[in-house]
Amino acid sequence: MAVETIFSKIIRREVPADIVYQDDLVTAFRDIEPQAPIHILIIPNIFIATINDVKPEHEQTLGHMIIVAAKIAKQESIVYDGYRLIMNCNQHSGQEVFHIHMHLVGGHHLGPLLTKNE
Ligand code: 5GP
C-alpha cells in the first residue's frame, strides 16, 4: 500500500521548507539539494505516488501544476532565458520521493536533456 512521504508533511507545514507558492491544489518549494541556480518542486496537495497512479480525476490538478510552473518561472524572472520541467517515474528515472512532483530548473544554461550512461 502506498504511504505518504516527507512531501505531505511539507504541504501541511509540519516540516520546514522554503515554500514559494501554495493554493488549494498544489504546493511549490525550493529543492533541498538544488541542481541548478533555481530548482523548485511543484507537487499536488493530494497524495499520488507515481505518474502510473494518475487517474482521470487528477487531470485538473496535473494541468494546474504546469500553470503554476509558468507562474513561478515569471516570479523567478526566468521566462525569457528559459527553464526545464522534469517529472521522474520509478527506478530507471531515479525517482526518490514517491509523491509525484515536477522539477522546475533554470537560472543557467542546462545543457543536454540526457547524458548517455555507458
Ligand atoms: P526525484 O529524484 O524523486 O525526482 O526528486 C526528489 C527531489 O526531492 C530531490 O531533488 C531531492 O533533493 C528533493 N528532496 C528530498 N527530500 C526533500 C526535503 O525534505 N525537502 C526539500 N525541499 N526537498 C527534498
Side-chain angles (χ1 to χ4, degrees):
M1 199 183 85
V3 286
E4 67 172 33
T5 71
I6 186 85
F7 286 1
S8 295
K9 294 192 171 83
I10 288 175
I11 293 163
R12 296 194 296 263
R13 297 177 187 247
E14 291 168 7
V15 301
D18 186 356
I19 294 177
V20 297
Y21 181 89
Q22 189 167 45
D23 63 22
D24 289 347
L25 295 178
V26 304
T27 300
F29 50 95
R30 293 190 195 280
D31 196 290
I32 205 165
E33 281 184 50
Q35 305 296 311
I38 293 164
H39 187 171
I40 290 165
L41 301 173
I42 301 153
I43 69 176
N45 292 342
I46 52 165
F47 174 67
I48 307 169
T50 78
I51 296 171
N52 295 331
D53 302 302
V54 169
K55 305 269 186 300
E57 60 264 32
H58 299 141
E59 198 169 341
Q60 189 196 355
T61 301
L62 275 278
H64 191 59
M65 285 166 70
I66 295 182
I67 301 279
V68 167
K71 194 178 287 195
I72 294 170
K74 195 172 179 191
Q75 247 172 234
E76 299 286 325
S77 306
I78 56 171
V79 283
Y80 178 76
D81 286 335
Y83 53 93
R84 188 172 286 159
L85 301 177
I86 302 165
M87 291 183 81
N88 290 321
C89 181
N90 279 343
Q91 283 80 5
H92 280 190
S93 73
Q95 182 176 4
E96 288 173 357
V97 180
F98 287 81
H99 179 133
I100 60 169
H101 48 278
M102 181 181 282
H103 297 256
L104 187 170
V105 285
H108 67 188
H109 200 283
L110 295 165
L113 179 58
L114 298 171
T115 49
K116 195 175 168 195
N117 285 324
E118 296 303 326

